[in-house]
Every structure is written in C-alpha cells, then in structure tokens.
Amino acid sequence: MTVLDRDNAGAEGCEHHAARLLATVAGGRVYGLPHDTGGAAVLVFRAAGGLGPWPWSDSGRPAAESIADVART
C-alpha cells in the first residue's frame, strides 16, 4: 500500500501499517501497489476510519500534517 499526504509525500507499507498511518495523516490518501490484491486500498481506507489518530499512543496527539511529521516522531 502507498499512503500519500496532501503534499503527495508518501510511504509504502502493509495494509495494517498503512491503515494506522492513514488514520494519523491529515488529508491522506491510500493507493494499492501493483502486487496488492484487488480492493486492498478500500480495506485500508475502511480500517483507518475505525482508528483514531496516533492509535499507538496514549497521549492523544493530534493528527499529523504530513507523513514527514509522522517520520520525525
């Protein structure tokens, strides 16, 4: 999966981590890679909808502005 932020900076990852990243990045979009199964991007999008931003953190951080913000933490 590829997750892009609103500035088109991106990161690739598995469906699980792509959903977590998409839930955190403000204005993010998800795209399947050529080797992904059909409908994988839709599954990631739906999974991200059920996660709050920064689901791995108890601090309740606000949504990141870009993938670069996520990488810095």
Side-chain angles (χ1 to χ4, degrees):
M1 306 305 313
T2 299
V3 177
L4 298 176
D5 67 10
R6 61 178 145 215
D7 296 324
N8 290 323
E12 292 181 3
C14 66
E15 291 178 26
H16 172 80
H17 289 102
R20 292 187 171 272
L21 182 58
L22 186 62
T24 299
V25 175
R29 301 174 316 281
V30 63
Y31 296 94
L33 296 172
H35 62 275
D36 290 333
T37 59
V42 173
L43 293 174
V44 168
F45 182 81
R46 288 182 180 164
L51 299 171
W54 301 93
W56 56 87
S57 173
D58 292 333
S59 65
R61 295 177 68 166
E65 291 299 317
S66 69
I67 290 174
D69 292 336
V70 173
R72 281 193 283 272
T73 59

